[in-house]
């Protein structure tokens, strides 16, 4: 009955050409979660001969001569519903559509990398995939990817008119560096439902995705050049970083007075009482599964510090003896 009334008067409306429709909808826009209740009131501002609602859910069964009629649904489930209030005037029928937005939060929001479980190699390209499952409507969805508190990418779907739930993915390429070790990534799905929707906008986010960055070793200390006297002790300190933690070895000539102490990625080479023939290069090598790094420490040795000491003492002793002879001679001369 309600459909017949609408169709009969629709012909009059098309023929009449009137642009102004004496109908007020309150509210004019309805934002409702799928499966929840919704309502709107339609009021005629002119004399009429009957009015009602055409809708897939909540439509009126017949005409009413009252000045207002309520559209009400306890459980709105029709994604494509488009309620329309119509009023029959003297020579025409006019109508207004109620703007209804039905939304649904995502079933899940997840973040992962199909190329890695979180363990990555420096300067290698990976994909981070944010997966948003069964959300509606897509035109109001924004997907954002964060690194820590910094937003690094977002995507919107405003040109998508599909009203039923859909799934979307945001794929972001990343090439981590060693400074990104332990970085936390998160994905957020935001439904921007406007002023008539929930405030602040609904946000569903993924669990954090933590990355570990592997990289070739780096030796922190610059090569040292040591110029010392023979007989002194020499220390070379080699400290490296890397992931996995590097092992350290030294390349040098054979000598009994060379000792190496290593703890993790820190190694100290000691030369006790260095000799002149031990001058040259001492190479520190830091290795892990991704490669190795080398640093060369150059040692120069000056001739015998101990010998010079003996010569100096001998000269001083000779001078003292000479002075003693002069003093004694002077005393003897005076007594005579």
């Amino acid at each position: 009955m309600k459909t017949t009334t609408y169709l009969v008067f629709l012909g009059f409306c098309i023929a009449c050409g009137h642009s102004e429709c004496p109908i007020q909808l309150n509210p004019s826009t309805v934002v409702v979660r799928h499966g929840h209740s919704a309502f709107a009131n339609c009021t005629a501002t002119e004399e009429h001969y009957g009015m009602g609602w055409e809708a897939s859910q909540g439509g009126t069964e017949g005409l009413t001569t009252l000045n207002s009629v309520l559209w009400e649904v306890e459980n709105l489930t029709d994604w494509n519903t488009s309620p329309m209030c119509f009023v029959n005037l003297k020579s025409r029928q006019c109508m207004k559509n109620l703007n209804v937005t039905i939304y649904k939060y995502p079933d899940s929001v997840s973040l992962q990398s199909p190329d890695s479980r979180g363990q990555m190699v420096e300067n290698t390209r990976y994909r981070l995939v944010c997966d948003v499952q069964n959300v509606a409507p897509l035109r109001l969805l924004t997907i954002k990817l964060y690194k820590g508190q910094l937003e690094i990418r977002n995507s919107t779907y405003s040109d998508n008119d599909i009203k039923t739930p859909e799934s979307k993915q945001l794929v972001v390429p990343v090439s981590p560096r060693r400074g990104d070790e332990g970085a936390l990534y998160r994905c957020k799905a935001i439904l921007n439902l406007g002023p008539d929707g929930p405030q602040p906008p609904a946000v569903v986010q993924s669990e954090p995705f933590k990355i570990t960055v592997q990289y070739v070793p780096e030796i922190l200390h610059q090569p040292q050049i040591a110029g010392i006297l023979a007989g002194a002790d020499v220390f070379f300190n080699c400290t490296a970083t890397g992931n996995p933690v590097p092992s350290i070895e030294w390349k040098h000539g054979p000598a009994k007075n060379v000792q190496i102490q290593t703890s993790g990625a820190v190694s100290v080479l000691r030369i006790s009482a260095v000799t002149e023939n031990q001058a040259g290069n001492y190479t520190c090598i830091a290795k892990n599964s991704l490669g190795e790094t080398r640093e060369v420490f150059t040692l120069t040795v000056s001739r015998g510090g101990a010998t010079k000491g003996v010569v100096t003492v001998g000269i001083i002793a000779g001078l003292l003896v000479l002075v003693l002879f002069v003093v004694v001679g002077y005393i003897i001369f005076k007594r005579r």
Side-chain angles (χ1 to χ4, degrees):
M1 179 176 178
K2 60 181 179 180
T3 304
T4 303
T5 303
Y6 161 64
L7 292 175
V8 168
F9 282 94
L10 179 60
F12 287 104
C13 180
I14 295 174
C16 68
H18 287 271
S19 59
E20 191 68 29
C21 187
I23 289 178
Q24 291 181 350
L25 299 180
N26 184 29
S28 59
T29 299
V30 172
V31 179
V32 56
R33 189 171 179 178
H34 184 262
H36 287 224
S37 62
F39 67 91
N41 192 50
C42 178
T43 301
T45 59
E46 290 184 10
E47 183 181 359
H48 65 89
Y49 297 92
M51 62 186 299
W53 284 94
E54 284 289 335
S56 59
Q57 286 184 268
T60 54
E61 294 296 331
L63 298 178
T64 179
T65 56
L66 298 176
N67 286 334
S68 65
V69 59
L70 183 67
W71 172 76
E72 186 174 17
V73 180
E74 289 296 327
N75 181 16
L76 187 57
T77 57
D78 182 8
W79 293 100
N80 295 303
T81 191
S82 181
M84 180 179 61
C85 180
F86 65 89
V87 59
N88 297 328
L89 303 175
K90 185 175 181 180
S91 61
R92 64 189 179 102
Q93 182 188 65
C94 73
M95 61 207 71
K96 274 190 179 181
N97 285 92
L98 177 65
N99 183 15
V100 177
T101 298
I102 303 176
Y103 68 91
K104 176 185 176 299
Y105 296 133
D107 288 342
S108 64
V109 177
S110 62
L111 180 62
Q112 60 182 347
S113 172
D115 312 311
S116 166
R117 293 185 177 180
Q119 188 166 303
M120 302 180 176
V121 176
E122 185 180 38
N123 296 325
T124 301
R125 190 181 179 88
Y126 297 89
R127 293 169 297 162
L128 291 179
V129 179
C130 180
D131 187 30
V132 180
Q133 288 290 318
N134 296 323
V135 61
L138 285 182
R139 65 184 177 84
L140 300 179
L141 174 67
T142 301
I143 302 178
K144 295 184 177 184
L145 181 66
Y146 290 82
K147 177 183 177 184
Q149 301 300 318
L150 177 66
E151 179 186 328
I152 61 174
R153 187 69 60 87
N154 70 72
S155 181
T156 58
Y157 309 91
S158 56
D159 58 346
N160 192 310
D161 293 328
I162 298 175
K163 295 182 179 181
T164 55
E166 296 284 330
S167 298
K168 280 293 181 180
Q169 287 187 338
L170 173 63
V171 181
V172 180
V174 295
S175 298
R177 298 184 177 181
R178 61 192 64 187
D180 296 324
E181 170 67 23
L184 292 176
Y185 290 85
R186 287 183 177 85
C187 178
K188 293 183 179 181
I190 305 170
L191 276 178
N192 300 291
L193 297 168
D196 297 306
Q199 296 297 327
V203 178
V204 181
Q205 70 175 10
S206 69
E207 291 294 324
F209 183 79
K210 183 178 181 179
I211 67 169
T212 299
V213 184
Q214 295 186 336
Y215 55 94
V216 176
E218 177 185 7
I219 295 177
L220 301 181
H221 295 341
Q222 293 297 320
Q224 303 172 18
I225 299 177
I228 64 169
L229 299 176
D233 291 346
V234 179
F235 296 88
F236 290 129
N237 185 345
C238 182
T239 301
T241 62
N243 190 10
V245 177
S247 61
I248 294 181
E249 62 183 59
W250 290 87
K251 184 178 180 182
H252 59 89
K256 293 183 178 180
N257 61 338
V258 175
Q259 294 179 332
I260 297 173
Q261 293 183 338
T262 302
S263 176
V266 179
S267 184
V268 177
L269 182 146
R270 176 184 179 181
I271 307 174
S272 302
V274 68
T275 61
E276 288 184 62
N277 60 5
Q278 288 182 301
N281 293 333
Y282 293 76
T283 304
C284 173
I285 306 171
K287 296 181 179 180
N288 65 13
S289 58
L290 299 178
E292 67 176 48
T293 302
R294 299 184 174 213
E295 291 288 359
V296 177
F297 298 81
T298 301
L299 174 64
T300 59
V301 182
S302 299
R303 179 169 296 178
T307 304
K308 286 186 176 181
V310 172
V311 172
T312 302
V313 171
I315 293 174
I316 294 174
L319 290 174
L320 290 174
V321 171
L322 179 60
V323 170
L324 180 60
F325 273 112
V326 171
V327 171
V328 171
Y330 177 76
I331 293 172
I332 293 174
F333 176 76
K334 277 291 190 179
R335 285 181 177 178
R336 288 181 178 178

